[in-house]
């Protein structure tokens, strides 16, 4: 089995209202010095070893896991 971690983040310049809400909440909780907060998603995927595993992971991201218009993704294979 191959284990992969896929991290999806918003592209620079894309507004992140959830990140802004977290930023304000942290400030309200007394955590000073918090700068900009951006939120993202992490997927841990296990799949059978194959010659096409890396290509399959990329296809999963492009077709479902990330909205490539507004999000970037990184695939890390463990």
């Amino acid at each position: 089995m191959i284990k992969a971690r896929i991290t999806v983040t918003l592209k620079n310049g894309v507004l992140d209202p959830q990140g802004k809400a977290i930023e304000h909440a942290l400030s309200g909780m007394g955590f000073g010095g918090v700068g900009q907060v951006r939120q993202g998603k992490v997927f841990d995927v296990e799949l059978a070893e194959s010659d096409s595993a890396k290509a399959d992971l990329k296809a999963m991201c492009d077709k479902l896991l990330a909205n490539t218009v507004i999000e970037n993704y990184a695939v890390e294979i463990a």
Side-chain angles (χ1 to χ4, degrees):
M1 293 297 282
I2 293 175
K3 293 183 180 183
R5 175 162 282 176
I6 300 164
T7 304
V8 180
T9 57
L10 290 169
K11 291 182 177 181
N12 289 334
V14 175
L15 295 177
D16 184 0
Q18 185 175 3
K20 188 58 87 174
I22 293 167
E23 180 183 324
H24 288 299
L26 290 170
S27 178
M29 295 172 76
F31 294 102
V34 174
Q36 183 180 17
V37 175
R38 306 274 292 171
Q39 65 87 31
K41 305 177 272 192
V42 175
F43 300 94
D44 290 325
V45 179
E46 290 185 12
L47 66 158
E49 285 192 47
S50 70
D51 292 339
S52 65
K54 288 182 182 179
D56 289 345
L57 287 164
K58 182 181 180 329
M60 289 175 197
C61 293
D62 290 336
K63 293 180 179 182
L64 177 66
L65 301 179
N67 177 348
T68 56
V69 174
I70 61 168
E71 295 175 320
N72 293 316
Y73 65 85
V75 178
E76 179 182 334
I77 297 176

